Amino acid sequence: MLWDCTKAFLVGGLICLLGQQLIDRTKLTPARILTLFVVLGVALDAIGVYQPLAQWAGAGASVPLTGFGSNLAKGVREAVSTDGLLGAFTGGVKAAAGGISAAVFFGWLAAVLFKPADKA
């Protein structure tokens, strides 16, 4: 149990460290870094690297944005094998529906509970 938490902390921390370094050392916007991490997850899943990492590190690899990208790629791969070309368009959304729904719901909840305002 403690070792599993340690692995998740180390891998998740390294992913966050990479993101912080990109913020500090480049002129990339947060939106571009977010997109980069999702695409990185898709690419690492496509070459077969991300799934073993996620199994080893648990939530440390499956919760960050790279895990979301990996989940999208896995959904597309499975849907294409069953639905053909249509699966390329629907598989990612089906696989990530829970995460997308949670993000929408908690974003709405935060907007209801707190007063949203533009930065000055």
Side-chain angles (χ1 to χ4, degrees):
M1 172 74 176
L2 181 61
W3 178 238
D4 291 337
C5 291
T6 303
K7 292 186 296 187
F9 175 79
L10 291 173
V11 172
L14 286 173
I15 293 170
C16 291
L17 177 69
L18 174 62
Q20 189 63 50
Q21 291 301 311
L22 288 171
I23 290 170
D24 292 345
R25 298 177 185 265
T26 68
K27 294 184 186 261
L28 291 174
T29 63
R32 289 184 182 197
I33 294 171
L34 177 146
T35 304
L36 176 69
F37 274 25
V38 172
V39 171
L40 182 64
V42 169
L44 290 175
D45 190 81
I47 61 174
V49 174
Y50 205 80
Q51 191 60 36
L53 175 66
Q55 287 176 344
W56 184 79
S62 62
V63 171
L65 287 169
T66 50
F68 180 72
S70 174
N71 193 24
L72 289 174
K74 181 180 176 188
V76 168
R77 189 171 45 253
E78 290 173 359
V80 166
S81 68
T82 59
D83 301 334
L85 182 61
L86 182 61
F89 300 103
T90 62
V93 176
K94 284 181 184 178
I100 294 169
S101 298
V104 169
F105 173 74
F106 287 113
W108 170 82
L109 186 62
V112 168
L113 294 177
F114 304 101
K115 184 177 178 183
D118 291 333
K119 287 186 177 180

